[in-house]
Amino acid sequence: MSEARLLAPKLSPTEKGFRLFFLAAAIVALGQMFLIALFLLNEAAGLLATAPLGDFLFSKDWYPTYEPPEFGALALIVGSVVVTIGSSLIATPVGLGLAIYLAFLAGRRKREWIKPAVELMAGVPSVVLGFIGLAVVAPFLQDVLDLPTGLNVLNASFILALMAIPSIASLGEDALAAVPRDVLDASYALGATRWETIWKVAIPAAMSGLSTAVILGLGRALGETLVVLMVAGGAAQIPTSIFDSVRPMTATLAAEMGETAIGSAHYHALFALGAVLFVLTLAFNLLAYWLGVRWRRG
Amino acid sequence: MVAGGPIIEARDVDFYYGAFHALKGVSLDVAAKETTALIGPSGCGKSTFLKLLNRMNDFVPGARLSGEIKVAGRSIYGSDSDPVSIRRLVGMVFQRPNPFPKSIYDNICYGPRLIGARKKADLDVLVEKALKAAALWDDVKDKLTKSALDLSGGQQQRVCIARALALSPEILLMDEPTSALDPIATAKVEEWIKEADLSIVIVTHNMQQAARVSEHTAFFYLGELVEFGPTMEIFTRPRERRTENYITGRFG
């Protein structure tokens, strides 16, 4: 019996060229991610020379220009988390409700113009939404609720929700529309109403996509900078109500980075904030990925 | 129901998809507790007719119907008839196995839970009964909590049969139930059909299958019911030329 030969296809020079090109693209994409993370963590580590990690994460006193300065990021971290949770409480029910409406209740005609309109909404620049928060929502809140300022957690949550709703609705509708017609028919044929079919079959079957949609929408709210810079109020404090002003991490970075001497303790503290943001965003994405995998099978 | 009497009576049924005249004056009685096969070439209207029997064509935009269809003596297209309750009486098994992405147990319980069955002990009994009736119990009794999607195609189709049976329907509609299955799985499903103590209407492309499993056969062609009678007669002494041409494979 003769030796078995390997049957690998022979690549032409053109094919080899393509392979190299795509390999290079993959290396560039992964490499830049890796380098950014490395740079961020390296610059952030410089803070440890002036302040221990525990003080940075768990003290709420952020006085970067005092002498000596204090870099307690807790109020900023809480600020980011609070507006993200606030926006999720508004955006999740509205976004998923819109997704269900588009996928099952709107007729074909209505869907044909509502879906593109929703996707167009996702493209509105955040500065425009921030401006609406500043010029419309803030005075309204101030007048109606008789508050000292309308720039607060509620306003920021509302505007961030406006940003997240289109992506949640659009991704959510995609997930629901991908539930096979066969499976919906099976439910109807067993005497289920439309509502029972949506609730007991379509939503569970689309759960992986729906949870990904929500997490990605919220990830966007967490990383959003301009809106919170404009409408969250900018006070580095731990809020006691939704009418208090806050100063999320992103707003702090945007406001302070330009006025900081490179290499100073403040500079390193801002990078440390960036690293915290990076870790939180990464956690969100991993959560989205994990939910996606987890729900894939019944 | 009196065994042998008609459980489905269709009278002068005309059905349209928009402008397309899909069924032309179809009148047909289906005997209770027997298996009736609907055969004919693609696009002849046999599947359309089948889906009229549990109102699954309601979902097709622009669908229109005239004539009358009675199931168990009740008109199912009357102004006071409710599609949801009809579908509990008339179960359906589809062309491709379409279990829900849930456990085997939850698949079977889906219908009963819709009508309010909640007690675990009752559901346990129901699941066992339905799976035994679908000849699947011995295969899956130790993995009821596993996803139905992990089963083979033939087993999935029998889960779908069991799922329909869990509602104790009067009638089971089967729309080419073995067209996505391998020969062994097909044989098992056919075996089940022959044993089942139930009124079954089956659409099939496979004439040997119709001959094997049914007592009555209806031949549809271009939206008309060409010939309907005992399966034996249709396959040995067809009255119509078109039937003979089809079953001898001259077109199809």
Side-chain angles (χ1 to χ4, degrees):
Chain A
M1 219 158 88
S2 67
E3 186 97 344
R5 276 183 309 122
L6 206 60
L7 296 180
K10 236 195 173 127
L11 288 182
S12 73
T14 330
E15 282 176 297
K16 276 185 186 153
F18 273 118
R19 253 167 85 126
L20 269 178
F21 173 76
F22 289 118
L23 183 67
I27 288 172
V28 168
L30 281 175
Q32 58 119 357
M33 263 302 298
F34 180 72
L35 288 177
I36 287 174
L38 201 66
F39 173 71
L40 191 62
L41 293 175
N42 186 43
E43 294 295 311
L47 176 74
L48 298 178
T50 35
L53 188 62
D55 284 5
F56 172 72
L57 288 178
F58 302 116
S59 155
K60 60 182 169 52
D61 299 315
W62 180 262
Y63 299 118
T65 53
Y66 276 27
E67 202 53 57
E70 289 188 61
F71 301 113
L74 187 63
L76 313 179
I77 297 171
V78 170
S80 282
V81 170
V82 163
V83 295
T84 303
I85 291 173
S87 67
S88 78
L89 292 179
I90 305 171
T92 305
V94 177
L96 291 183
L98 184 52
I100 290 168
Y101 174 77
L102 283 173
F104 295 110
L105 305 174
R108 193 149 43 115
R109 274 256 199 64
K110 279 191 191 130
R111 186 169 55 238
E112 266 167 19
W113 68 266
I114 296 177
K115 180 120 205 254
V118 167
E119 277 160 5
L120 206 66
M121 273 287 295
V124 173
S126 56
V127 66
V128 174
L129 292 172
F131 187 70
I132 292 170
L134 207 57
V136 181
V137 182
F140 176 81
L141 288 177
Q142 210 171 341
D143 290 351
V144 172
L145 300 171
D146 194 25
L147 300 172
T149 172
L151 300 176
N152 53 28
V153 171
L154 182 63
N155 192 342
S157 301
F158 177 70
I159 300 292
L160 288 175
L162 284 188
M163 289 189 57
I165 286 167
S167 29
I168 294 177
S170 180
L171 287 170
E173 200 266 344
D174 291 344
L176 289 169
V179 176
R181 180 73 225 179
D182 280 9
V183 176
L184 302 179
D185 279 346
S187 170
Y188 289 121
L190 288 163
T193 60
R194 175 141 72 168
W195 175 242
E196 288 164 338
T197 300
I198 293 172
W199 192 244
K200 297 183 173 180
V201 176
I203 291 178
M207 196 47 102
S208 105
L210 292 177
S211 47
T212 309
V214 169
I215 300 286
L216 292 181
L218 298 185
R220 203 175 159 207
L222 178 69
E224 170 55 30
T225 304
L226 215 43
V227 163
V228 289
L229 184 62
M230 291 166 84
V231 304
Q237 59 180 355
I238 291 179
T240 53
S241 88
I242 56 169
F243 305 117
D244 284 349
S245 297
V246 291
R247 186 182 184 85
M249 290 182 280
T250 49
T252 310
L253 281 169
E256 297 177 15
M257 193 52 107
E259 298 162 14
T260 308
I262 292 177
S264 68
H266 189 191
Y267 169 91
H268 288 302
L270 291 178
F271 267 99
L273 270 189
V276 171
L277 202 55
F278 176 76
V279 168
L280 283 179
T281 316
L282 195 68
F284 260 76
N285 282 315
L286 287 176
L287 185 64
Y289 175 76
W290 181 75
L291 286 173
V293 173
R294 218 203 102 159
W295 287 101
R296 199 135 296 160
R297 305 220 93 188
Chain B
M1 280 291 103
V2 185
I7 189 149
I8 297 171
E9 300 156 79
R11 289 285 168 277
D12 305 319
V13 172
D14 277 81
F15 182 78
Y16 304 84
Y17 292 115
F20 178 64
H21 198 170
L23 288 172
K24 299 167 186 166
V26 174
S27 295
L28 179 71
D29 281 357
V30 172
K33 304 283 184 196
E34 295 194 335
T35 298
T36 301
L38 311 181
I39 62 169
S42 296
C44 67
K46 58 191 190 300
S47 278
T48 300
F49 182 77
L50 188 79
K51 286 178 186 156
L52 283 176
L53 302 178
N54 65 343
R55 295 197 56 165
M56 286 301 280
N57 284 330
D58 290 16
F59 299 109
V60 180
R64 286 179 298 130
L65 174 91
S66 71
E68 189 178 41
I69 299 175
K70 281 186 183 168
V71 169
R74 290 189 309 179
S75 173
I76 60 168
Y77 285 92
S79 50
D80 59 340
S81 59
D82 166 31
V84 167
S85 60
I86 290 160
R87 292 184 195 126
R88 286 177 192 147
L89 202 65
V90 186
M92 187 167 206
V93 174
F94 294 79
Q95 198 165 352
R96 268 182 310 170
N98 56 356
F100 300 125
K102 301 173 188 285
S103 69
I104 296 168
Y105 188 92
D106 287 339
N107 263 278
I108 310 299
C109 291
Y110 186 81
R113 278 176 178 150
L114 290 175
I115 49 176
R118 284 286 172 278
K119 273 205 275 172
K120 175 102 171 66
D122 296 349
L123 290 172
D124 286 350
V125 172
L126 233 148
V127 167
E128 182 171 345
K129 211 176 123 209
L131 285 170
K132 278 183 173 159
L136 192 60
W137 175 251
D138 291 333
D139 296 21
V140 301
K141 63 179 179 223
D142 298 323
K143 45 182 180 181
L144 294 176
T145 55
K146 293 268 164 58
S147 173
L149 297 177
D150 291 335
L151 298 174
S152 72
Q155 290 174 325
Q156 286 188 18
Q157 193 62 306
R158 278 181 287 153
V159 165
C160 296
I161 292 173
R163 183 175 64 182
L165 295 180
L167 281 167
S168 317
E170 294 263 353
I171 301 164
L172 190 66
L173 309 178
M174 307 183 91
D175 188 2
E176 299 187 38
T178 61
S179 64
L181 303 184
D182 64 64
I184 293 170
T186 299
K188 284 196 171 159
V189 171
E190 286 186 5
E191 197 55 42
W192 179 81
I193 294 171
K194 278 191 276 186
E195 304 282 318
D197 181 30
L198 191 67
S199 313
I200 294 176
V201 184
I202 178 172
V203 162
T204 179
H205 257 115
N206 178 332
M207 279 173 285
Q208 284 77 27
Q209 181 168 73
R212 281 193 298 263
V213 303
S214 71
E215 279 88 33
H216 293 275
T217 295
F219 172 60
F220 284 76
Y221 186 61
L222 298 176
E224 284 175 52
L225 175 61
V226 174
E227 189 166 350
F228 176 50
T231 299
M232 194 68 131
E233 279 179 30
I234 295 274
F235 282 94
T236 52
R237 302 186 297 278
R239 290 190 305 272
E240 292 277 336
R241 192 59 184 271
R242 285 174 293 176
T243 313
E244 188 180 348
N245 286 344
Y246 180 69
I247 61 174
T248 53
R250 239 162 278 170
F251 69 90

